[in-house]
Every structure is written in structure tokens, then in C-alpha cells.
Amino acid sequence: MSKPSGQADTMEANGLGALPLPAQGSGLQQVPQLAHVSPSGGGKATPPSKHSKKAAPLERNSDEYRLRRERNNMAVKKSRLKSKQKAQDTLQRVNQLKEENERLEAKIKLLTKELSVLKDLFLEHAHNLADNVQPPSSTGTESAAAPSTIQDNAGQ
């Protein structure tokens, strides 16, 4: 399906290009679909909403120009305030995290010391138990005598 060369030039000059439709088995004649073509000729069609409509520059004294400048200035101020607020929030969060980190590191030191003390106590107690344990005697007389001495001492 070829177009006359004059028609193709006019369509591309207007920013329109033909996109072929997929063939259908209905036997109907194919009609090329028109789509906007980027001026750079990249072959990529852009949606109509993305086309920029550059109007003639406004005069500096016009009401519309002043209104646009005022809106732009307000938008810039809002954007800068938002950026500043975000930076302050980030800084505040950093400081909170630093404080929490210091507190947790102090807790780690304290718990490490406590663990060391408890280990030492446990080992000392284990050594004392090992020293106090006597091998069992061949006669059972010593174990029977020990409770009576404890009772005698308690009765005094």
C-alpha cells in the first residue's frame, strides 16, 4: 500500500505517520492508522497528551505573564520548603538513630560485663563443688555418721 510522495511529506510535516494494522481474515481493506511522530524522526509515536504546545512568548507586561510568574514563584517556594523540611527530617532521624545506637552499645557493654561476672561465679562454684566431692568409701559408715553429727550440732 503505497502513498503518493506528496501525501507522505505532508503527513510527516504535520507530525503524523502511518502505522500498519495487523492483517485480519475478514477480507476488509486495510486503512493505515495515523499517529503522531516525533520531530526527531526516531520512529516512536508519542501520545497526544505528551505533545508540548509552545505558544508565542508572552509579553512581560501582560496579566497572564504576571499570573504565570506568580504561580511559578509560589511553586518554587513550595518546592524549596519541602526540600528543606525533608532535609531537616532526615537530619532528625539520623540524630535519633545515633542516640539509639549509643544506648544499645552501652547496653551491650553492660551485658558483656554481667556475662563475664556470671561466668566467673559459675566457674568458682563448679571448682568448689569439685573440691568438696569426696570419692565414695568402701564402707557405708561415713555417710551414716555424718547425719548424726549434723543432728548433734543442731541440737546444741
Side-chain angles (χ1 to χ4, degrees):
M1 229 170 134
S2 64
K3 299 181 274 189
S5 62
Q7 184 181 2
D9 293 338
T10 308
M11 288 175 62
E12 286 179 10
N14 290 335
L16 298 175
L19 295 177
L21 293 175
Q24 297 176 356
S26 64
L28 296 176
Q29 182 181 4
Q30 291 185 9
V31 178
Q33 186 169 353
L34 300 178
H36 290 279
V37 178
S38 64
S40 63
K44 222 178 188 186
T46 55
S49 62
K50 298 287 182 181
H51 289 289
S52 60
K53 296 179 182 177
K54 293 192 177 186
L58 298 173
E59 293 182 27
R60 288 186 177 242
N61 297 334
S62 71
D63 289 339
E64 187 180 353
Y65 176 82
R66 275 191 243 118
L67 181 64
R68 285 187 181 187
R69 291 302 313 145
E70 187 178 326
R71 284 183 187 163
N72 181 261
N73 290 342
M74 289 173 60
V76 167
K77 283 180 187 177
K78 183 178 176 181
S79 174
R80 288 179 182 157
L81 282 174
K82 187 177 177 182
S83 176
K84 225 181 230 185
Q85 183 64 43
K86 188 175 181 181
Q88 287 176 349
D89 291 347
T90 302
L91 186 61
Q92 184 178 4
R93 179 75 174 139
V94 166
N95 290 333
Q96 286 175 348
L97 291 173
K98 281 182 180 179
E99 289 175 8
E100 184 181 0
N101 195 28
E102 289 172 4
R103 184 180 54 79
L104 290 172
E105 285 178 357
K107 190 174 183 177
I108 287 171
K109 283 183 181 179
L110 178 70
L111 291 172
T112 304
K113 283 182 182 179
E114 187 178 345
L115 178 64
S116 178
V117 168
L118 290 173
K119 274 185 180 178
D120 291 344
L121 283 173
F122 175 77
L123 292 175
E124 184 181 328
H125 183 66
H127 288 301
N128 286 341
L129 284 177
D131 291 343
N132 289 338
V133 173
Q134 297 173 357
S137 62
S138 58
T139 63
T141 57
E142 287 182 75
S143 62
S148 62
T149 50
I150 293 173
Q151 289 175 352
D152 291 340
N153 290 340
Q156 293 177 3

